[in-house]
Amino acid sequence: MNLLKKLVITATCAAFAIAMQPLRPAFSAETKPAETKAAAAPAKPADQKAQEPAKGSPTDVVAKVGNTPILRSELNRAEAILMKQNPPQQPLTPGQQQQVNDYLIEQLTSAELLYQAGLKVEIKDLDKQIDDKMSQGKARFPSPADFEKALKEQNLDEKLLREYTRKEIIVNNYVEKEIVPQVKVTDDEIKKFYDENLTKYFSKPAQVKASHILIGVDPKADAETRKKAKEKIDNILKEVKAGKDFAELAKANSTCPSSAKGGDLGTFGKGQMVKPFEDAAFALKTGEVSDVVETQFGYHIIKLTDKQEAQTAPLEEVKPKITEYLKGQKVQAKVQDYLKELKGKIKVEKLI
């Protein structure tokens, strides 16, 4: 379980790897930390300068964890990563910039607290683990030049990346040995999550794949125009039933843009098409062709090319994923509890 990228150190460790290995909970909507929502909020053009990196020397101390300083260079680097992941639509206001700074300093100090705690936990073959992780990171790039380019984009060099990787491994080791063993997920919790999210995550509604031929008619068309359109679609239906190629007839006659693809509409579920069309499509068997169907758009002939019945994944099939997700949620909660405890023992100072 690569917990680190789900925890507070995400913004600082192995920065280039964040973009390459984003991890998201298996059953949750993708969300952003509340503090980072400012990054997507609109701002007035007059505030353009507020989006620029914080001024001052890279060696300025912006926070302290015990006697360990957090430098402005680390804050600026973390901000660059955050802005790359969540590009703001407009420049940040001064207030939004302060929110981002506060959020990042909280992440950086929390990461340092976990790292200091992790130094007290035994870890084997640390250098080998670092070498392996560095090699894996490099292997994800097409060439050494691409790897170097990615480092420069994050204001990193290989030495600094190695140090971040070292910290990442130490924190992961701490979490795995000190926190994960305390977390248990019961069968009742798994069943409860399954039942409460059955429709949202574990059920797949019925879907069909269909093609159609449309002879479009304006809803305001007169009776004569409608009659001619109906006669045309009736004649096309005769050709379909006589064995002529449906796709070719669609290309030659259909007034729907799908005619370019032989009338192919792709896959759709209930509620995505107008009711008469939907009812006719779902009533067909794979390979069948409908009679003429009238809708507000005109007259259709529908051919069903595939049909998938509604499905529900059984609990036993999804149990491992649910277990992993719930365990991850509990681990995150435990980490936050430990951070509160650590902050009670080690002085944390915010200096900007």
Side-chain angles (χ1 to χ4, degrees):
M1 184 188 298
N2 192 356
L3 293 164
L4 188 62
K5 293 181 181 65
K6 295 181 183 178
L7 302 175
V8 294
I9 204 167
T10 303
T12 55
C13 282
F16 73 98
I18 295 170
M20 304 200 325
Q21 284 191 306
L23 295 182
R24 299 184 180 94
F27 305 111
S28 68
E30 185 177 345
T31 56
K32 301 173 185 177
E35 293 88 344
T36 68
K37 289 181 181 177
K44 298 177 182 178
D47 295 319
Q48 187 165 3
K49 291 184 179 179
Q51 190 184 340
E52 297 174 359
K55 303 298 182 183
S57 169
T59 58
D60 287 348
V61 177
V62 297
K64 278 187 176 183
V65 179
N67 294 322
T68 301
I70 305 294
L71 303 182
R72 187 178 296 278
S73 59
E74 297 176 73
L75 175 62
N76 289 346
R77 185 178 295 111
E79 181 180 346
I81 296 167
L82 185 67
M83 292 300 136
K84 184 176 181 180
Q85 290 178 327
N86 307 285
Q89 295 178 355
Q90 294 192 36
L92 304 186
T93 66
Q96 290 168 347
Q97 182 66 56
Q98 187 60 52
Q99 281 185 305
V100 170
N101 287 347
D102 290 344
Y103 167 71
L104 291 173
I105 288 175
E106 175 68 21
Q107 304 304 292
L108 291 165
T109 55
S110 294
E112 181 61 29
L113 281 167
L114 290 173
Y115 170 64
Q116 291 184 18
L119 289 172
K120 301 173 185 176
V121 179
E122 181 184 4
I123 183 168
K124 295 181 179 179
D125 301 322
L126 178 58
D127 287 337
K128 183 179 184 303
Q129 289 190 52
I130 296 171
D131 290 340
D132 290 345
K133 199 167 187 67
M134 291 286 289
S135 297
Q136 290 166 14
K138 290 179 182 180
R140 294 187 185 100
F141 291 89
S143 68
D146 290 309
F147 174 70
E148 292 297 328
K149 181 182 177 183
L151 289 180
K152 288 179 181 178
E153 286 176 353
Q154 300 296 346
N155 268 343
L156 287 167
D157 56 33
E158 197 160 338
K159 180 180 179 181
L160 189 53
L161 176 62
R162 187 177 181 87
E163 178 59 22
Y164 281 150
T165 302
R166 176 177 175 274
K167 289 185 175 183
E168 177 183 355
I169 291 169
I170 288 171
V171 172
N172 271 329
N173 182 65
Y174 169 73
V175 172
E176 293 286 352
K177 288 185 177 178
E178 299 296 318
I179 298 178
V180 171
Q182 300 181 40
V183 171
K184 305 296 178 186
V185 177
T186 67
D187 286 342
D188 287 344
E189 289 172 324
I190 294 169
K191 181 67 164 59
K192 182 173 183 289
F193 183 90
Y194 178 80
D195 291 341
E196 290 178 350
N197 294 279
L198 190 61
T199 303
K200 189 174 182 181
Y201 298 127
F202 308 116
S203 295
K204 187 177 181 180
Q207 291 187 313
V208 295
K209 185 177 182 182
S211 297
H212 81 142
I213 299 169
L214 169 67
I215 301 301
V217 182
D218 191 301
K220 298 178 182 178
D222 58 31
E224 184 62 25
T225 301
R226 301 191 74 82
K227 180 182 176 182
K228 289 181 179 179
K230 180 65 165 60
E231 289 174 352
K232 184 173 183 178
I233 198 76
D234 285 341
N235 288 330
I236 295 171
L237 181 59
K238 289 178 183 177
E239 293 185 88
V240 171
K241 289 184 175 181
K244 286 196 174 181
D245 185 82
F246 191 94
E248 291 303 318
L249 287 169
K251 288 177 182 178
N253 297 282
S254 181
T255 58
C256 177
S258 65
S259 62
K261 298 184 291 183
D264 184 12
L265 293 170
T267 301
F268 55 90
K270 291 187 176 181
Q272 294 180 257
M273 299 292 182
V274 292
K275 196 69 167 59
F277 190 99
E278 175 189 294
D279 290 344
F282 275 86
L284 294 171
K285 295 179 181 178
T286 302
E288 281 188 336
V289 175
S290 72
D291 289 328
V292 174
V293 178
E294 184 177 359
T295 73
Q296 66 204 59
F297 302 105
Y299 299 103
H300 310 254
I301 302 169
I302 306 167
K303 181 177 181 179
L304 197 74
T305 54
D306 191 23
K307 193 169 191 175
Q308 300 172 8
E309 300 296 339
Q311 299 176 1
T312 300
L315 175 59
E316 287 306 310
E317 181 181 307
V318 295
K319 186 175 180 178
K321 288 186 177 180
I322 296 175
T323 303
E324 181 183 2
Y325 173 71
L326 292 178
K327 190 172 184 179
Q329 294 294 295
K330 288 190 173 188
V331 168
Q332 290 187 59
K334 278 282 187 186
V335 166
Q336 295 306 314
D337 291 341
Y338 269 78
L339 282 169
K340 289 178 183 177
E341 184 180 324
L342 291 170
K343 286 175 183 178
K345 297 176 180 178
I346 302 173
K347 186 177 181 182
V348 176
E349 299 175 84
K350 176 186 168 186
L351 302 177
I352 64 167

